[in-house]
């Protein structure tokens, strides 16, 4: 990849990045820093992705009409909460100022054969989310493992109104992979619906990002790489993006693929 192509890739990656801090020890100061980092000399990230307890703080910092959206997580990371509890989490998050809800499906129940539990969860959360707030559904593909099961999870989420389907929480051993991306993108394409895709976890370099961009271009077309249909969930990727855009050398792809 030549320098110009790498810089173009970095610029696109910046525009579709959900800059994330979901560390267990995240502090209010970390959120202040994250909000500041979302605005760079080369443009802004698409969103920040944070724990629900920090939404009000981030909204106060960013303001009501920020170019950077606030994403948060519900039923996270276990996917094991009761539907009513997750609905309540979602409603509070929206009241506090969240623009985007990243919902973990009950993936363990799906592994056990209970497809209905996934449909019920997504349907219930979708019912309390009104535009312009959007719903991203996390499949936890590294735990599903089986490609047929990833396809099933994708189709169930899409059928119940997901605005995006997302690979991972970033909290398990295997997170985003190109193999899972293939299955999920094909499910979106075959559905005929306007649903986005978000790989998350283990994506830390512009060269990593380029691998996903190639898959998206091949399956969905080159006009699909925009914040309304594609996001990266990452914490460290911004550092490499800024290095590339500043004329420094990009790191090599990570070993997570």
């Amino acid at each position: 990849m030549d320098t110009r192509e790498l810089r173009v890739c970095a610029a696109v990656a910046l525009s579709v990045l959900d800059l994330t801090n979901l560390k267990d020890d995240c502090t209010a100061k970390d959120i202040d820093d994250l909000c500041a980092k979302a605005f760079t000399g080369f443009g802004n990230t698409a969103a920040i992705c944070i724990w629900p307890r920090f939404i009000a703080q981030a909204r106060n910092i960013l303001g009501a009409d920020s170019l950077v959206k606030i994403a948060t997580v519900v039923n996270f990371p276990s996917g094991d909460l009761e539907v009513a509890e997750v609905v309540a989490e979602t409603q509070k998050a929206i009241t506090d100022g969240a623009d985007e809800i990243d919902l973990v499906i009950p993936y363990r129940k799906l592994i056990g054969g209970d497809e209905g539990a996934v449909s019920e969860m997504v349907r219930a959360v979708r019912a309390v989310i009104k535009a312009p707030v959007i719903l991203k559904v996390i499949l936890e593909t590294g735990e599903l493992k089986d490609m047929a099961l990833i396809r099933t999870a994708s189709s169930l989420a899409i059928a119940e109104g997901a605005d995006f389907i997302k690979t991972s929480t970033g909290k398990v051993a295997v997170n985003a992979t190109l193999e899972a991306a293939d299955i999920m993108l094909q499910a979106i394409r075959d559905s005929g619906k306007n649903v986005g895709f978000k790989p998350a976890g283990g994506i830390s370099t512009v060269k990593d990002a380029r691998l996903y961009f190639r898959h998206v271009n091949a399956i969905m077309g080159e006009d699909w790489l925009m914040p309304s249909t594609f996001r990266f969930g990452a914490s460290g990727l911004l550092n490499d993006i800024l290095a590339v855009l500043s004329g420094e050398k990009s790191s090599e792809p990570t070993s997570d693929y």
Side-chain angles (χ1 to χ4, degrees), residues 26-256:
C26 182
T27 67
K29 175 62 165 57
D30 292 331
I31 297 302
D32 289 344
D33 293 343
L34 196 74
C35 289
K37 288 177 181 177
F39 296 91
T40 81
F42 302 101
N44 56 271
T45 67
I48 58 170
C49 188
I50 57 178
W51 290 106
R53 64 182 180 273
F54 295 118
I55 296 168
Q57 175 189 344
R59 178 53 66 206
N60 185 56
I61 295 168
L62 296 176
D65 300 313
S66 176
L67 294 174
V68 175
K69 303 303 181 184
I70 298 174
T72 195
V73 290
V74 297
N75 204 22
F76 186 95
S78 70
D80 289 338
L81 300 180
E82 295 297 323
V83 171
E85 188 174 352
V86 180
V87 168
E89 278 188 322
T90 302
Q91 291 173 315
K92 185 177 189 307
I94 295 169
T95 298
D96 287 348
D99 300 297
E100 304 177 359
I101 303 295
D102 288 25
L103 162 71
V104 183
I105 64 168
Y107 60 88
R108 291 185 182 88
K109 290 184 178 179
L110 179 60
I111 292 168
D114 189 355
E115 295 182 8
V118 176
S119 297
E120 180 186 10
M121 179 67 76
V122 179
R123 186 185 312 125
V125 173
R126 172 80 270 174
V128 298
I129 295 177
K130 308 301 180 187
V133 179
I134 68 170
L135 173 61
K136 306 195 203 88
V137 177
I138 305 172
L139 309 184
E140 201 66 291
T141 54
E143 294 295 286
L144 296 180
K145 296 182 176 68
D146 180 74
M147 292 299 111
L149 202 55
I150 293 170
R151 175 69 187 227
T152 296
S154 300
S155 297
L156 291 171
I158 292 169
E160 295 300 341
D163 295 302
F164 274 74
I165 51 175
K166 174 179 171 181
T167 60
S168 322
T169 61
K171 297 288 190 179
V172 296
V174 177
N175 292 289
T177 67
L178 294 172
E179 292 78 9
D182 275 342
I183 298 299
M184 294 169 69
L185 288 165
Q186 289 171 23
I188 292 169
R189 180 196 61 196
D190 294 348
S191 76
K193 295 184 177 181
N194 185 30
V195 176
F197 171 64
K198 179 178 173 179
I203 302 162
S204 60
T205 74
V206 174
K207 290 176 181 177
D208 290 333
R210 179 56 177 154
L211 296 174
Y212 282 92
F213 288 168
R214 287 174 176 167
H215 272 61
V216 169
N217 289 344
I219 296 172
M220 305 301 296
E222 294 188 4
D223 60 348
W224 209 70
L225 289 171
M226 62 184 73
S228 61
T229 47
F230 186 90
R231 300 287 183 87
F232 283 121
S235 55
L237 178 58
L238 180 63
N239 294 332
D240 201 56
I241 288 171
L242 295 179
V244 170
L245 293 176
S246 298
E248 301 171 20
K249 185 178 180 180
S250 174
S251 301
E252 291 304 310
T254 64
S255 61
D256 293 331

Side-chain angles (χ1 to χ4, degrees), residues 1-33:
M1 189 187 309
D2 63 30
T3 301
R4 180 182 177 280
E5 183 183 1
L6 197 64
R7 286 175 64 87
V8 169
C9 184
V12 175
L14 175 63
S15 74
V16 298
L17 177 62
D18 285 4
L19 183 62
T20 301
N21 189 330
L22 294 170
K23 295 178 180 178
D24 293 338
D25 60 356
C26 182
T27 67
K29 175 62 165 57
D30 292 331
I31 297 302
D32 289 344
D33 293 343

